[in-house]
Amino acid sequence: MTMKRSILGALIVLASFTASAAAQDFKQYRTTTLDALVDEWNRKTSKEGPGYSFSRPEKLKLIVKLGQAPKPCETDPLRLVLRTMGFEKVLEQVKVSQCIGLVSDGGRAMPAYVQDVLVDGLNADAKVGRSIEAYVDFLAFEVNADRSRNRAILMLNRFEPL
């Protein structure tokens, strides 16, 4: 990926965080499935070695099961992705210290970073094992030597219990 494309992607991410925080307009999210997202990126990165693959960040709406309630998690991968895109200060504006587990219809488990402002609502309204409508920013794709461990770097912006 060229530096110009990387900078453009970073600008889009910054704009999406700012717009998300200010307006909470979720109409621009594209509906897909977690399985389709991971399958697409597994194909795109099939010839890449371990690391992070970047493209234009996307706003996605996913119907998934909550596999794990919010809990503190390591945010270094998220920080690395944002720093690589030139937006390490985003996490000073949008606090993220916890993750949830998402489970696709196909049974694929994937963590997602959660904005701290959503944690109380998730704990009160979302039940492990039940479906939620998850509005996420897809920021990058982590490619591992063990391809079964590849994962999307997702940040939850909104959810609706179903």
Side-chain angles (χ1 to χ4, degrees):
M1 176 191 302
T2 66
M3 179 64 96
K4 185 176 182 181
R5 193 169 169 201
S6 198
I7 291 170
L8 175 62
L11 291 172
I12 292 167
V13 168
L14 181 61
S16 65
F17 282 117
T18 305
S20 176
Q24 294 296 320
D25 178 14
F26 295 95
K27 294 177 186 167
Q28 75 274 22
Y29 283 67
R30 178 176 67 90
T31 300
T32 189
T33 67
L34 186 56
D35 289 321
L37 174 68
V38 173
D39 289 345
E40 173 189 351
W41 278 86
N42 276 335
R43 282 190 303 277
K44 286 181 177 182
T45 60
S46 65
K47 293 182 171 55
E48 293 182 20
Y52 291 91
S53 184
F54 296 89
S55 183
R56 180 175 174 245
E58 291 186 74
K59 292 184 166 303
L60 303 174
K61 179 173 84 170
L62 310 169
I63 305 296
V64 290
K65 287 185 182 165
L66 183 62
Q68 181 177 2
K71 71 174 191 174
C73 65
E74 182 58 53
T75 60
D76 284 346
L78 179 61
R79 289 181 189 286
L80 174 66
V81 165
L82 292 172
R83 185 174 55 243
T84 301
M85 299 172 100
F87 290 106
E88 59 273 0
K89 294 191 181 211
V90 166
L91 291 179
E92 292 173 12
Q93 299 168 356
V94 178
K95 300 292 184 197
V96 177
S97 65
Q98 299 197 36
C99 294
I100 58 172
L102 305 178
V103 180
S104 71
D105 284 342
R108 182 177 274 139
M110 184 88 34
Y113 298 98
V114 178
Q115 293 184 27
D116 287 356
V117 70
L118 299 176
V119 170
D120 288 343
L122 278 163
N123 285 328
D125 299 331
K127 306 292 181 227
V128 172
R130 303 285 307 262
S131 293
I132 62 169
E133 191 172 70
Y135 293 81
V136 300
D137 284 327
F138 168 52
L139 303 171
F141 193 72
E142 182 180 2
V143 179
N144 291 283
D146 174 357
R147 299 295 176 154
S148 69
R149 297 185 62 201
N150 289 357
R151 70 178 184 126
I153 304 297
L154 304 170
M155 183 163 38
L156 184 71
N157 296 318
R158 176 184 172 188
F159 75 97
E160 295 291 333
L162 298 176

